[in-house]
Amino acid sequence: MSARLPLVLRQLGRPPRTPGLPRHLRAPCRASSGGGGGGVPEGLRGQGRLQNGQAWSSSGPGSPAPSARDSIVREVIHNSKEVLSLLQEKNPTFKPVLAIIQAGDDNLMQEINQNLAEEAGLNITHICLPPDSGENEIINEILKINEDTRVHGLALQISEDSFSNKVLNALKPEKDVDGVTDINLGKLVRGDAHECFVSPVARATIELTEKSGVSLDGKKVLVIGAHGSLEAALQCLFQRRGSLTMSSPWKTSQLESKLQEADIVVLGSPKPEEIPPEWIQPGTTVLHCFHDFLSGKLRGGSPWVHGSGLIAEGDVSLLAAALRIQNMVSSGRRWLREQQHRRWQLHCLKLQPLSPVPSDIEISRGQTPKAVAVLAKEIGLLADEIETYGKSKAKVRLSLLERLKDQADGKYVIVAGITPTPLGEGKSTVTIGLVQALTAHMNVNSFACLRQPSQGPTFGVKGGAAGGGYAQVIPMEEFNLHLTGDIHAITAANNLLAAAIDTRILHENTQTDKALYNRLVPLVNGVREFSEIQLARLKKLGINKTDPSALTEEEVSKFARLNIDPSTITWQRVVDTNDRFLRKITIGQASTEKGCSRQAQFDIAVASEIMAVLALTDSLADMKERLGRMVVASDKNGQPVTAEDLGVTGALTVLMKDAIKPNLMQTLEGTPVFVHAGPFANIAHGNSSVLADKIALKLVGEEGFVVTEAGFGADIGMEKFFNIKCRASGLVPNAVVLVATVRALKMHGGGPSVTAGVPLKKEYTEENIQLVADGCCNLQKQIQIAQLFGVPVVVALNVFKTDTRAEIDLVCELARRAGAFDAVPCYHWSLGGKGSVDLAQAVREAANKNSHFQFLYDVQLPIVEKIRTIAQTVYGAKDIELSPEAQSKIDRYTQQGFGNLPICMAKTHLSLSHQPEKKGVPRDFILPISDVRASIGAGFIYPLVGTMSTMPGLPTRPCFYDIDLDTETEQVKGLF
């Protein structure tokens, strides 16, 4: 065993190991193909053991005494350990990892690095490559480690010939703890040493020289045989201490004269044999600062030095290894600092609003969005936390939540509205204008969280939902069309489950117990085994057996037959198109289905329970569990049948594995937006995803804002946000922004009907104070609804060009009288974020008030009482009326144990009542409940009010008449 190794251990105050006993390293050398181990990131671990090295050499005259030399190393490691301990007090799970890419089996240096790292409290891993590894092999390993967020430092122990510019500059500068990249060297030369990593070898050379008692001021220093970054770092550090430095290769005719002039000689590579020892003057301080990484040799005293002050290479290597550890701790500290809340250094995009305001799509195309990877970096996302989809959108991985779990959340603001006209009142536009104002004009971190629009309204009546005017998400075509395919994934998963239901009924109707069982648990290569999901079903049935041949006939029948009652099936097929002729269909009419026909229907894709699950889940595991417990029907004994019973849970999760990741986009002013999930508010719960909100709240930091939008009026989207979404997420809102328009208030005051595609009547384009005053009753009612939950309300009046100052002032005054914290006119549509600065200031003030948030009802109340509470307290109904079918469903769900879930009312958005034509604040009406469904996976009961349809229809003139593609430029036309 090496005689040097015990010395290294003694220097650190650690007992040497017994000679002859191999000591397994925590993270020893591995081949580049990988391996397994503990304590370091998976994929960077391997197996191996130390081999005997060479004897540790003693220092020459002039070198620091061993005790002094050892104390330098001890001090560096001790200081590093103390700094790391302080960092870990606030971040207990933090432990930096140093990766060393090593070409060859230099186990002696590996052992030194390992011991120093362990003493300081770091993790270390060696990636061992063959000695003849080429440039591309080394770079491939570097690139892997660059993107591994668990590794905070990277060092190279490769041959001098392998240190090409391409290799060195493949390193990320922030992980370059040896200071070899051009960026780190450039900062050092420029004098910004505190902002960069400095070569540990060069620093060790300087420190050992000074500790040996040699003054550097005015000395002549000759650096021989050093190349690249080491040569540059040595020259820079010596010059900073007043030395006159010279560099020379070994083979030069002037070497002898240069050596005779030098006070200090630094050897950057081994001396060629042909150079005689007499060339160096007695008393010259000589330092070895090279190491043969391929052979593992630590070179000691120089045979060509006589009477000189020799500082052995072993001294430099040991101190350099300690200083590398110090750099590692600094790297970890910087990394932690970057993870903490900070004000974003966001490059906001400039707007130049035009008058008159062009079409939405013209405005969108007139702005060039930042590359989404640039935006991600600006808001603190790491490279491996995003998956880009083209240049302008990306998915964000959920691992971010774990990284930022200790970060304080920002303020949480919900945007709702008054009862809208069929044209919509601009909640998305207000949401986007508000975050543009906060971030681009007030320098406050903020995030908008929006729903993904359905293809149904996009091609039907609305034409898109990316905001409007100068408050938009861009590119609007990508926002409105497909995005990253989440709705397609939901459609595929939903319809897979629908197919599984009818197929199971068919096979159970046409096969004996034995035949059914043999097909469900087939013999494969002579072996019959239950799948994991089948074992879960056995456990649910109380059958504690794992051998398929051990089941009794009764158990076989119990396992194989779900006995679904077709009349109780609640799971429908979906399509993301408004298609009224799919509202009622007959399936199973082909002769191959053997008479298993039944009446069914299609819903719009965004009304699928899988969409609600996506919007309410908080992790991949939680989503899988929710998908599995979705109830699709009851069996003939009245017990619920779930997706888990059908064996489809894993497949649904596979189809949804990418859809769960929020989609990152940007506003016209370059501020971040999450677009994720899109449940309808009149049919489903109408809010974007919990995951998008949670990630955004971490990214904005404690002083930042997350602005999320609820669908339609406060009576629908906001009520469901509070009672369903906030229950699921555990998040507490700080403020409500209630969007109103003069147009909608005039409608509620008795104005003529408003119809999409039909020009507005003059009452809406000319001043009419009386209509506005009469219509403010709806605004007042919606403010009162928000106040039921104990959250301050700011009214945002979305100003149209036809609104007059008198009308605007009246609305704001009446809103404040009704109890709003403030009421602010907004001009973001025509001016962008600049037009909503007043709103942003009001929201910031409101959000800083103490919130007294409370839920509207206790979920333990009976289903009927919860429905009645919403109807009377929120809508203003006198009472509710249950159809026989609705009562039957309530009884069934209560008996099945689902009575303690929150309520998600499916109701028209065009009135506080169930009748769309009833405007203002209807009173003394009876709210009819025609049906009740259960979304058990999502976690709510789903009453249908009146004639509410779950499949919208197309109007006489749908929006698709105007949508087209320019086949030369491939630009989409007609979206607005």
Side-chain angles (χ1 to χ4, degrees), residues 384-398:
D384 71 336
E385 290 173 341
I386 66 165
E387 299 168 359
T388 57
Y389 283 64
K391 295 180 179 179
S392 55
K393 55 187 184 289
K395 280 196 166 291
V396 175
R397 293 178 179 167
L398 306 189

Side-chain angles (χ1 to χ4, degrees), residues 276-395:
E278 294 81 12
W279 284 9
I280 193 166
Q281 296 297 310
T284 302
T285 301
V286 180
L287 297 100
H288 290 270
C289 59
F290 62 88
H291 178 69
D292 190 341
F293 291 124
L294 295 183
S295 70
K297 293 177 181 178
L298 287 168
R299 299 181 181 274
S302 175
W304 62 293
V305 177
H306 298 282
S308 64
L310 174 68
I311 298 176
E313 191 275 335
D315 298 341
V316 176
S317 289
L318 183 58
L319 180 55
L323 291 170
R324 181 183 293 117
I325 298 300
Q326 190 179 74
N327 280 353
M328 263 299 302
V329 174
S330 296
S331 175
R333 181 169 51 192
R334 291 178 190 176
W335 185 84
L336 279 175
R337 190 166 58 238
E338 288 175 0
Q339 309 318 304
Q340 295 170 355
H341 164 65
R342 68 189 194 283
R343 187 163 288 174
W344 297 334
Q345 298 300 310
L346 200 67
H347 168 64
C348 293
L349 305 177
K350 299 298 182 183
L351 286 182
Q352 293 181 325
L354 301 176
S355 183
V357 176
S359 70
D360 291 350
I361 200 161
E362 287 179 280
I363 294 171
S364 175
R365 289 200 183 129
Q367 185 69 284
T368 302
K370 294 179 284 190
V372 72
V374 172
L375 174 64
K377 187 173 183 180
E378 288 177 340
I379 62 175
L381 289 166
L382 304 178
D384 71 336
E385 290 173 341
I386 66 165
E387 299 168 359
T388 57
Y389 283 64
K391 295 180 179 179
S392 55
K393 55 187 184 289
K395 280 196 166 291

Side-chain angles (χ1 to χ4, degrees), residues 185-227:
L185 280 171
K187 288 181 178 179
L188 174 63
V189 171
R190 198 172 62 228
D192 298 329
H194 62 286
E195 294 182 4
C196 67
F197 291 115
V198 180
S199 164
V201 174
R203 283 179 59 199
T205 302
I206 297 291
E207 290 199 24
L208 286 172
T209 305
E210 292 179 330
K211 294 290 184 182
S212 68
V214 177
S215 172
L216 297 177
D217 189 25
K219 292 293 191 296
K220 294 181 180 178
V221 179
L222 177 62
V223 180
I224 313 176
H227 303 284

Side-chain angles (χ1 to χ4, degrees), residues 488-509:
H488 302 315
I490 289 165
T491 303
N494 184 98
N495 292 343
L496 175 64
L497 180 51
I501 296 167
D502 289 303
T503 298
R504 186 60 174 264
I505 293 172
L506 169 70
H507 291 313
E508 288 189 23
N509 285 348

Side-chain angles (χ1 to χ4, degrees), residues 653-707:
T653 308
V654 167
L655 288 171
M656 294 292 294
K657 71 179 179 67
D658 291 321
I660 195 174
K661 304 166 190 170
N663 304 295
L664 177 65
M665 295 187 76
Q666 64 192 282
T667 68
L668 275 167
E669 297 191 57
T671 68
V673 178
F674 275 141
V675 186
H676 197 218
F680 272 12
N682 53 355
I683 297 173
H685 75 282
N687 286 268
S688 62
S689 77
V690 166
L691 278 169
D693 290 358
K694 284 191 169 184
I695 292 173
L697 284 164
K698 295 297 182 187
L699 287 170
V700 298
E702 192 170 5
E703 300 302 318
F705 284 78
V706 171
V707 184

